[in-house]
Amino acid sequence: MVFKRRDRRSPVQIASEFVYPKGGWTRAFHYVKHRVRRLPDSPERIARGVGAGVFTAFTPFYGLHFVVAALIGRLINGNILASLSGTFFGNPLTYVPIGVICLQTGHFILGGNFEKEETKGLMKNFVDALGDLKNNFLALFTDRVADWRGLAVFYDEVFFPYLVGGILPGLLAGAICYYLSLPLIRTYQQRRRDKIKAKFDEIKRLAETKPAVPQPNALGSDLGFKKDSSDV
């Protein structure tokens, strides 16, 4: 394959680079920022896509953030690639703070009691829930006994409060990122157009000032190849 990696990564390397990318999170952030600014689309659509991706980071659909971001970006007429890049806002360094904010807000809106212990094993709760969901799905085709009690508790205490509580902070964070990224993208695109125009103008100026090279006529008279009729 043309685009296949020469150095194949092991599962351990893939997992470690997900937690801490090669080159650090700062370099990864600047890479994503650079890719977003160079997207061939209007600044408004790109900024809407970024906002959709940031909002998606506040949803509890772990493992499906790309899909959710693409759907939301499509719904609000944003750039799909920008929405996928915007999900970078949710990463292993921000998942816990985002989870705390969403759970606190969700329990407050629903009138429930928020326990700080719920956020200590937040990712483990999601992993365990996915495991239970897989086992219950396999139970439909085997002789296993499906047990939905754990998923019911997870839904009532974690997932639904997270979903409800992530709406307001997600909208706020998405709107902030939209209004911050819009002028930056607009300025970058204008500067890039000016640089391209200046480069073409320079090429045109050099072409106009270049002295014309005399061209010989078809019979080669300017080179002295024309024979006199008396020599024949």
Side-chain angles (χ1 to χ4, degrees):
M1 293 179 64
V2 178
F3 300 104
K4 190 175 181 179
R5 291 178 60 96
R6 294 182 180 179
D7 53 336
R8 299 187 63 180
R9 298 180 299 171
S10 65
V12 176
Q13 289 176 325
I14 296 174
S16 62
E17 290 183 9
F18 175 77
V19 177
Y20 191 81
K22 188 176 181 180
W25 281 106
T26 301
R27 183 178 179 181
F29 171 76
H30 287 295
Y31 173 77
V32 173
K33 180 181 69 174
H34 179 71
R35 292 296 300 270
V36 168
R37 292 189 306 180
R38 292 178 65 89
L39 288 175
D41 208 339
S42 66
E44 291 76 15
R45 294 192 73 237
I46 296 175
R48 283 197 294 268
V50 171
V54 172
F55 172 81
T56 303
F58 286 80
T59 63
F61 300 105
Y62 293 111
L64 298 174
H65 277 175
F66 276 3
V67 177
V68 176
L71 292 175
I72 296 176
R74 180 75 174 178
L75 182 64
I76 64 176
N77 193 26
N79 185 278
I80 304 299
L81 293 179
S83 65
L84 301 183
S85 300
T87 59
F88 177 81
F89 188 86
N91 56 74
L93 299 179
T94 60
Y95 279 147
V96 173
I98 289 176
V100 172
I101 293 173
C102 294
L103 285 175
Q104 285 181 337
T105 306
H107 281 289
F108 175 78
I109 294 175
L110 297 174
N113 295 323
F114 172 73
E115 299 293 341
K116 293 184 179 181
E117 288 74 14
E118 294 178 6
T119 59
K120 292 182 179 180
L122 183 60
M123 292 298 104
K124 185 177 182 301
N125 290 333
F126 277 92
V127 172
D128 293 342
L130 289 176
D132 290 343
L133 184 62
K134 182 193 70 174
N135 293 333
N136 290 337
F137 177 77
L138 294 176
L140 298 176
F141 308 97
T142 61
D143 55 354
R144 295 181 181 180
V145 178
D147 186 3
W148 298 94
R149 290 175 297 177
L151 286 173
V153 174
F154 170 78
Y155 178 84
D156 293 334
E157 296 183 356
V158 179
F159 186 86
F160 188 64
Y162 198 123
L163 179 64
V164 174
I167 295 176
L168 292 179
L171 289 174
L172 179 61
I176 292 174
C177 290
Y178 169 81
Y179 286 108
L180 288 178
S181 61
L182 180 59
L184 295 177
I185 297 171
R186 186 178 290 145
T187 301
Y188 176 83
Q189 289 187 351
Q190 185 60 46
R191 290 179 59 185
R192 192 161 181 261
R193 283 193 295 265
D194 292 342
K195 287 182 179 180
I196 295 175
K197 183 177 182 299
K199 185 178 294 185
F200 276 104
D201 291 342
E202 181 66 16
I203 295 174
K204 183 178 179 181
R205 185 186 66 81
L206 292 175
E208 291 175 350
T209 57
K210 187 176 181 180
V213 179
Q215 300 292 332
N217 56 30
L219 298 178
S221 59
D222 292 342
L223 299 178
F225 294 146
K226 185 177 181 180
K227 294 182 179 181
D228 188 47
S229 58
S230 60
D231 295 337
V232 180

